[in-house]
Amino acid sequence: MFCYQCEETLNGTGCTKNGVCGKKGDVADLQDDLMYLLKSIAFYNSKARANGLNDARTDKFMLDGMFATVTNTNFSKTDFERLISEGFEIKDGIKQKLLAAKVIDEKSGSSFPRWIKEKLLGASPNAGQELPLMAKVTPESLANINTGILATENEDIRSLRELLTYGLKGIAAYAHHASVLGYRDDDIMAFMENALLATMDDEMGVDELVPMVMECGSKGVATLALLDKANTTTYGNPEPTAVNIGVRENPAILISGHDLRDMERLLEQTQGTGVDVYTHGEMLPANSYPAFKKYDNFVGNYGGSWWKQKEEFEKFNGPILMTTNCLVPPKESYLNRIYTTSIVGFDGVTHINPDENGAKDFSAIIEQAKACKPPEQLEEGTIMGGFAHVSALSVADKIIEAVKAGQIKKFIVMAGCDGRHKERDYYTDFAEALPEDTVILTAGCAKYRYNKLDLGDIGGIPRVIDAGQCNDSYSLVVIAQKLAEAFGLEDINDLPVSYNIAWYEQKAVLVLLALLSLGVKNITLGPKLPAFVSPNVLNVLVEQFNIRPNATVEEDLKVLL
Ligand code: SF4
Ligand code: SF3
């Protein structure tokens, strides 16, 4: 195996035996194979899409497959074997459709027009080209192909291909969330296919790949906007909410991950059963949605961010439902209390599948909960959340006034991910060291490093404005754009806003690309720069966007203030 897609990759270079995340070598290899197969499906499906022959099943498979390879989502060998065999079936199905419609010709791959180049670069089709190898892949040949990352020898090309791939995984994750609520966008799917193909196109060099990476960022903005629409149309606009972090005396279920549809299902099914529901990790923002607040058995949030699972799941006592990443390989002691659903997987853990109508039955979890002890109290009090763009902008006048009066000197965007390494204490120290006339804007699980500090407020405006999950990063973009408008600024970089972003997995890579595509400059990134960014690619990012790695709290305060 070789994997360097996340921030915690071994020695900052790459995991080669087992993942630091707990991913085993055989699963990592299967993930590489699946990604390769998805590229081959993308090849045929983009042709199908151009001819109106595409179908919803393939789109769903693309999103499921790519999301499953995101860090801490799926550790199950059986799941990846199943995905790969389903992938071949899907690929062959599309190919048959294309043959039947005479879009392609079985005999002569060589007469296949060079449509990849045509579509991506506007160059004229070049007849006489062979079908790309990945389009011809079969279950037998897959075993003999090096599908790994290191198969691309040129370090800079590899770096850009992987940067693009991880951005696409982020798009897939967010598009997946939107699609379970019925919001889909053909353009986003078409881009995903073309960009996946670009990662296989040996004729694309640095000059072609860099714009593709930027386009991935702008498609990321579109995907996040779609997801924002899906969430707020379905569940209402989050409201500023003091979320309870204490516990009650009832048996309970803990729900984590990012999937609001599963959240809704669980609340519906636990009504009147005497079983309480708590959120963990990235599900915390569910506490701020009007549609969920109405359930009286929805108690609040339990514990901290994803990496504290081992300790906190043990103390929770009741069953835990993982709807998406981040799953930490469970301890034996609570293995029988963990349930996965959707694209999450771990061999030996009960998985809840939807029935043919898409309904999910959580009754087994509820029954188990009834026999469990109530959760052990970890802490008490409340934390503030629910400042997605609508509620944040409802106090925009107050914010603008505070800026004009000099009460707020700076906003620091500290969005992104949390992680298990000690060096992330930096973010707690940084938040604590910020002067009192600064306001933190956040989204994602990065907030757990400072959302329980008593940072106070500025004239009623909390010093930590939490827009929600990483899925809600679009809110931060809207808030910045509206502030720029209110101050009459043309350039978003002229706002009194600095960026100190913490990343961990591939969705954060996409959020970063989304910010770059909007022209945001001077981002500080940490706690470590991505291992997959080569020195030359880093130079491009520094030259064009002035990205810098974080340093010490003192130094970064100077730079960012
Ligand atoms: Fe290593 Fe991260 Fe890949 Fe896991 S996801 S194998 S920790 S680089
Ligand atoms: Fe966190 Fe996994 Fe990235 Fe949604 S839960 S932000 S790391």
Side-chain angles (χ1 to χ4, degrees):
M1 74 170 279
F2 180 81
C3 181
Y4 63 177
Q5 66 174 354
C6 83
E7 193 271 340
E8 292 184 358
T9 194
L10 189 67
N11 300 328
T13 51
C15 298
T16 52
K17 288 210 175 78
N18 284 319
V20 172
C21 60
K23 181 162 79 181
K24 298 272 188 284
D26 51 359
V27 171
D29 292 344
L30 287 169
Q31 290 188 354
D32 288 345
D33 286 353
L34 176 64
M35 286 303 296
Y36 192 87
L37 178 58
L38 288 169
K39 288 166 189 178
S40 121
I41 295 175
F43 178 85
Y44 288 114
N45 205 46
S46 57
K47 201 74 184 157
R49 194 179 300 281
N51 289 277
L53 296 169
N54 57 314
D55 56 52
R57 183 188 173 199
T58 310
D59 284 357
K60 180 176 183 305
F61 185 79
M62 292 292 290
L63 298 181
D64 283 357
M66 288 179 68
F67 196 174
T69 70
V70 166
T71 303
N72 290 345
T73 303
N74 196 316
F75 297 86
S76 159
K77 190 172 174 221
T78 353
D79 280 3
F80 285 103
E81 284 168 346
R82 183 183 44 76
L83 282 164
I84 288 172
S85 90
E86 189 184 346
F88 276 114
E89 187 203 310
I90 286 180
K91 182 183 90 126
D92 293 339
I94 310 168
K95 192 174 161 194
Q96 292 313 320
K97 259 202 248 178
L98 293 174
L99 286 169
K102 302 211 175 349
V103 176
I104 59 166
D105 169 358
E106 180 75 278
K107 285 196 296 289
S108 51
S110 58
S111 68
F112 209 92
R114 188 76 181 134
W115 61 270
I116 300 180
K117 302 241 29 137
E118 182 191 27
K119 271 188 130 172
L120 297 178
L121 303 171
S124 46
N126 186 1
Q129 292 270 358
E130 271 293 332
L131 265 175
L133 184 63
M134 47 80 185
K136 295 191 285 193
V137 65
T138 61
E140 297 72 41
S141 68
L142 189 59
N144 301 318
I145 299 170
N146 180 359
T147 58
I149 293 161
L150 300 176
T152 303
E153 279 166 24
N154 180 300
E155 187 190 30
D156 299 324
I157 300 293
R158 186 198 310 141
S159 176
L160 288 166
R161 285 179 174 182
E162 293 310 309
L163 178 56
L164 182 54
T165 303
Y166 305 149
L168 292 171
K169 289 186 183 190
I171 289 189
Y174 293 134
H176 183 282
H177 283 291
S179 85
V180 297
L181 297 175
Y183 289 75
R184 299 177 184 108
D185 182 337
D186 218 46
D187 260 15
I188 292 169
M189 294 307 300
F191 172 77
M192 243 170 64
E193 285 160 2
N194 285 341
L196 279 174
L197 294 174
T199 67
M200 297 297 282
D201 189 340
D202 287 334
E203 287 175 43
M204 290 186 80
V206 171
D207 291 348
E208 288 82 26
L209 283 168
V210 169
M212 199 88 203
V213 168
M214 285 306 122
E215 198 183 340
C216 183
S218 43
K219 284 294 185 290
V221 177
T223 314
L224 284 164
L226 181 73
L227 177 56
D228 182 79
K229 192 170 157 205
N231 285 341
T232 55
T233 311
T234 316
Y235 301 116
N237 283 302
E239 303 161 344
T241 306
V243 180
N244 170 39
I245 55 173
V247 298
R248 300 202 302 202
E249 289 298 302
N250 304 325
I253 298 171
L254 191 60
I255 174 168
S256 191
H258 304 70
D259 195 305
L260 298 183
R261 182 75 186 90
D262 286 331
M263 180 78 215
E264 181 185 28
R265 289 181 173 116
L266 184 65
L267 288 171
E268 276 167 2
Q269 293 180 33
T270 47
Q271 272 315 280
T273 62
V275 172
D276 284 344
V277 172
Y278 296 78
T279 53
H280 189 266
E282 272 285 70
M283 201 56 96
L284 157 67
N287 287 277
S288 304
Y289 281 91
F292 303 145
K293 287 168 89 164
K294 65 176 190 225
Y295 293 97
D296 58 7
N297 66 326
F298 186 14
V299 180
N301 191 68
Y302 188 82
S305 76
W306 64 269
W307 60 275
K308 296 209 161 156
Q309 281 174 30
K310 286 195 172 156
E311 182 195 331
E312 293 175 352
F313 285 6
E314 195 146 84
K315 293 191 172 150
F316 184 74
N317 295 329
I320 301 126
L321 175 63
M322 295 301 304
T323 66
T324 69
N325 61 316
C326 278
L327 171 68
V328 175
K331 276 167 76 174
E332 216 34 61
S333 58
Y334 59 82
L335 194 69
N336 69 340
R337 286 194 277 120
I338 289 249
Y339 294 79
T340 56
T341 190
S342 186
I343 35 72
V344 193
F346 193 91
D347 287 331
V349 158
T350 310
H351 188 82
I352 312 264
N353 276 313
D355 67 15
E356 60 282 2
N357 303 315
K360 287 186 190 176
D361 179 3
F362 294 147
S363 56
I365 313 181
I366 298 168
E367 282 316 304
Q368 186 182 25
K370 286 180 184 165
C372 292
K373 282 192 295 186
E376 182 180 320
Q377 171 128 332
L378 297 176
E379 52 201 345
E380 53 189 346
T382 58
I383 42 178
M384 277 307 288
F387 289 95
H389 57 91
V390 170
S391 57
L393 292 171
S394 70
V395 291
D397 289 351
K398 234 171 150 182
I399 295 177
I400 291 160
E401 238 170 71
V403 174
K404 286 189 174 154
Q407 290 165 305
I408 299 179
K409 294 251 168 54
K410 200 97 186 179
F411 297 91
I412 318 275
V413 176
M414 289 180 72
C417 308
D418 195 9
R420 48 166 79 83
H421 289 160
K422 182 88 184 112
E423 63 197 342
R424 295 212 184 225
D425 288 348
Y426 159 92
Y427 293 102
T428 312
D429 299 342
F430 184 86
E432 272 181 325
L434 280 170
E436 283 177 6
D437 53 10
T438 53
V439 169
I440 295 172
L441 297 174
T442 193
C445 61
K447 64 165 119 339
Y448 281 104
R449 289 283 169 175
Y450 43 81
N451 67 346
K452 291 171 188 169
L453 300 175
D454 186 14
L455 295 179
D457 64 82
I458 301 176
I461 303 162
R463 286 199 51 228
V464 179
I465 296 189
D466 176 12
Q469 299 177 332
C470 60
N471 292 27
D472 302 306
S473 301
Y474 179 68
S475 268
L476 300 179
V477 170
V478 176
I479 293 169
Q481 283 171 338
K482 293 282 176 208
L483 284 179
E485 232 170 73
F487 289 113
L489 300 171
E490 300 235 316
D491 186 345
I492 212 166
N493 293 299
D494 293 337
L495 276 171
V497 179
S498 295
Y499 296 81
N500 192 359
I501 306 278
W503 82 286
Y504 170 60
E505 35 73 20
Q506 300 78 57
K507 296 196 277 175
V509 172
L510 180 75
V511 172
L512 181 70
L513 294 179
L515 290 173
L516 299 184
S517 78
L518 291 165
V520 174
K521 296 211 163 85
N522 309 317
I523 293 176
T524 293
L525 184 65
K528 273 198 291 288
L529 291 183
F532 55 83
V533 171
S534 69
N536 287 331
V537 170
L538 182 62
N539 277 344
V540 174
L541 294 176
V542 172
E543 271 164 32
Q544 292 190 12
F545 301 102
N546 200 25
I547 285 194
R548 65 180 279 275
N550 68 338
T552 61
V553 169
E554 295 70 36
E555 203 178 321
D556 293 345
L557 279 173
K558 266 188 233 145
V559 173
L560 294 168
L561 296 177

